[in-house]
Amino acid sequence: MPIRIIIETTEDHRQGGSIMAKKIVGSKVPAYPMPVIIVGANVQEKANFLTVVWFSMVNFNPPVIAVVLNKGHYTNKGIQEHKTFSINIPSANQIEATDYCSIVSGFDHDKSKAFEIFHGELKNAPMITECPLTAECRVIQTLQYETHEIFFGEIANTYAEDEILTHGRPDIAKIKPIIYSMYNNYYWEIGKNLGRAMHMGKTFKPSS
Amino acid sequence: MPIRIIIETTEDHRQGGSIMAKKIVGSKVPAYPMPVIIVGANVQEKANFLTVVWFSMVNFNPPVIAVVLNKGHYTNKGIQEHKTFSINIPSANQIEATDYCSIVSGFDHDKSKAFEIFHGELKNAPMITECPLTAECRVIQTLQYETHEIFFGEIANTYAEDEILTHGRPDIAKIKPIIYSMYNNYYWEIGKNLGRAMHMGKTFKPSS
């Protein structure tokens, strides 16, 4: 995962006005904070788990989530085989097990014993009992890119621990999810609450 | 953005072993921490900006990023028109301007004056000078879902402020990005460093 980047040039890319230097950075992948999940799938009847940081919701109704996996992973075989996968959101207190699933490959390690497993309505979407929030997904589309493939999964059900709900809703402050940062290769907790979305901008006045 | 969810049932979904209750939550969209970016595009020659939390890298080489936009947004028109867009990663100190771009629509507000704008090599990918990390993208594919559409953009260049680089690499601790949480609708800072990725799991031992 660590990536070497080289600064190629320094130029002022501003259109007039005061000088503010912007550098073109060698790796074009922007460094944004990436939430960490564990994707589960059965490969030949055995559960396997992979830590994933490239994923996004892509549709609200029906709910569809896309997970982006390097083509070389073992987990992909199970998703292709059964057309199902699970999403598991680990807590910061599961950091060692979460990182383990990014270090060790299903090609040469049996990861089915790394967690307690439960199932919902889909037979081949093994979910992690220790994770406070999980979901089971049916593959509805796949897309191939050069290094990665994308599995689009319609979310059949989402499961939560009682302790992470506030007024019946999953509460991120209780989930205590893990964030990953590229380049320096660190995990982070969620920090200070900055305020309410769709409220804080009400007082913002553009300059003209 | 606030979403009402209803708990439908409580069951034990564990396969044997000790009891741990998992609840099916009514909204199937899992609550994970979503990084916040601002997507820029020119609509009829005028820059417009939209706050986005559904996006992901989808390929490493060449670098491709997918942004997922509700079909009703004004920004989509500009991306469709010019086949280019920008990615802008705001800092926590830009929270008001960032939230403003999620509250106010380009259909009835001119957001071109909300920021200082600079351009790289793509004419119609306006980037935000105040954002510490930005990228300009060429659309190479689009995908339609029911409520949302996905724009896949090959990243032409990524630009960084000098102050957010450490040994030439973008440093998330210096960027101070914003995280969004669904359901309770809050913004968060990055918090405590939990340790090194691909290291912490080396000592993890599965139970059998």
Side-chain angles (χ1 to χ4, degrees):
Chain A
M1 270 201 277
I3 288 139
R4 184 165 160 262
I5 63 164
I6 300 149
I7 295 174
E8 290 166 342
T9 183
T10 304
E11 296 176 46
D12 177 24
H13 291 273
R14 271 282 290 282
Q15 298 177 303
S18 62
I19 301 299
M20 187 180 285
K22 294 283 184 181
K23 284 182 173 170
I24 292 180
V25 285
S27 169
K28 294 174 180 176
V29 178
Y32 63 88
M34 296 173 179
V36 177
I37 59 171
I38 302 171
V39 170
N42 278 352
V43 186
Q44 294 169 349
E45 312 309 314
K46 192 170 273 187
N48 192 60
F49 298 101
L50 175 68
T51 306
V52 168
V53 293
W54 286 6
F55 71 97
S56 175
M57 284 298 302
V58 299
N59 199 62
F60 191 78
N61 192 14
V64 180
I65 195 161
V67 295
V68 183
L69 274 56
N70 189 293
K71 289 184 182 181
H73 288 302
Y74 188 69
T75 304
N76 306 29
K77 295 178 181 299
I79 303 177
Q80 284 152 354
E81 183 184 354
H82 299 292
K83 308 290 182 209
T84 54
F85 63 87
S86 73
I87 293 288
N88 304 273
I89 299 178
S91 280
N93 64 13
Q94 297 171 269
I95 187 79
E96 286 83 7
T98 302
D99 193 46
Y100 167 83
C101 291
S102 77
I103 296 173
V104 162
S105 169
F107 280 110
D108 42 41
H109 283 81
D110 176 5
K111 290 191 260 187
S112 69
K113 299 289 188 289
F115 305 99
E116 297 265 3
I117 292 167
F118 76 102
H119 288 84
E121 68 176 90
L122 304 181
K123 191 171 171 289
N124 289 294
M127 289 180 279
I128 299 174
T129 305
E130 294 91 332
C131 286
L133 195 70
T134 66
E136 51 178 347
C137 307
R138 281 185 196 92
V139 174
I140 56 169
Q141 185 171 8
T142 61
L143 206 58
Q144 301 297 318
Y145 270 88
E146 284 79 355
T147 53
H148 287 69
E149 56 193 334
I150 313 175
F151 297 101
F152 295 82
E154 184 170 335
I155 300 170
N157 291 296
T158 297
Y159 300 85
E161 288 295 320
D162 226 2
E163 305 93 87
I164 61 120
L165 300 176
T166 298
H167 307 307
R169 300 172 179 184
D171 184 338
I172 218 163
K174 294 180 178 174
I175 294 171
K176 299 189 194 309
I178 304 165
I179 310 284
Y180 170 71
S181 62
M182 232 182 65
Y183 301 119
N184 62 10
N185 214 31
Y186 278 112
Y187 295 121
W188 307 80
E189 276 187 8
I190 287 283
K192 198 176 80 176
N193 185 321
L194 287 167
R196 287 193 69 190
M198 306 199 79
H199 280 75
M200 302 189 73
K202 287 181 181 172
T203 54
F204 177 77
K205 295 276 173 264
S207 57
S208 60
Chain B
M1 269 200 277
I3 288 139
R4 183 166 160 262
I5 63 164
I6 301 150
I7 294 173
E8 291 165 344
T9 184
T10 306
E11 296 177 46
D12 177 25
H13 291 272
R14 273 281 291 282
Q15 296 179 303
S18 61
I19 300 300
M20 187 179 285
K22 294 282 185 182
K23 283 182 173 169
I24 292 181
V25 285
S27 170
K28 294 173 179 176
V29 178
Y32 63 87
M34 297 172 177
V36 178
I37 59 171
I38 301 171
V39 171
N42 279 352
V43 186
Q44 295 171 348
E45 312 308 315
K46 191 170 275 187
N48 192 60
F49 298 100
L50 175 68
T51 306
V52 169
V53 293
W54 286 6
F55 70 97
S56 175
M57 285 298 302
V58 299
N59 199 62
F60 191 77
N61 193 14
V64 180
I65 195 162
V67 295
V68 183
L69 274 56
N70 189 293
K71 289 183 181 181
H73 288 302
Y74 188 70
T75 305
N76 307 29
K77 295 177 181 297
I79 303 177
Q80 284 152 354
E81 183 185 352
H82 299 292
K83 308 288 183 212
T84 54
F85 63 87
S86 73
I87 293 288
N88 304 273
I89 299 177
S91 279
N93 64 13
Q94 296 172 270
I95 187 79
E96 285 84 7
T98 302
D99 192 46
Y100 167 83
C101 290
S102 77
I103 295 174
V104 162
S105 169
F107 280 110
D108 42 40
H109 284 81
D110 176 5
K111 290 191 260 187
S112 69
K113 300 288 188 290
F115 305 100
E116 298 265 3
I117 292 167
F118 76 103
H119 288 84
E121 69 177 269
L122 305 181
K123 192 172 171 290
N124 289 294
M127 288 180 280
I128 299 174
T129 305
E130 294 91 330
C131 285
L133 195 69
T134 66
E136 50 179 347
C137 308
R138 282 185 197 91
V139 174
I140 57 170
Q141 185 171 9
T142 61
L143 207 56
Q144 302 296 318
Y145 271 88
E146 284 79 355
T147 53
H148 287 69
E149 56 193 334
I150 312 175
F151 298 101
F152 295 82
E154 184 170 335
I155 301 170
N157 290 295
T158 296
Y159 300 85
E161 288 295 320
D162 226 2
E163 306 94 87
I164 61 121
L165 300 176
T166 297
H167 307 307
R169 299 172 180 184
D171 183 339
I172 218 163
K174 294 180 178 175
I175 294 171
K176 300 189 194 310
I178 304 165
I179 310 284
Y180 169 72
S181 62
M182 232 182 66
Y183 301 118
N184 61 10
N185 213 32
Y186 277 112
Y187 295 120
W188 308 80
E189 277 186 8
I190 286 285
K192 199 176 81 177
N193 185 320
L194 287 166
R196 287 193 68 192
M198 305 198 80
H199 281 75
M200 302 189 72
K202 285 181 181 173
T203 55
F204 177 77
K205 295 276 173 264
S207 56
S208 59

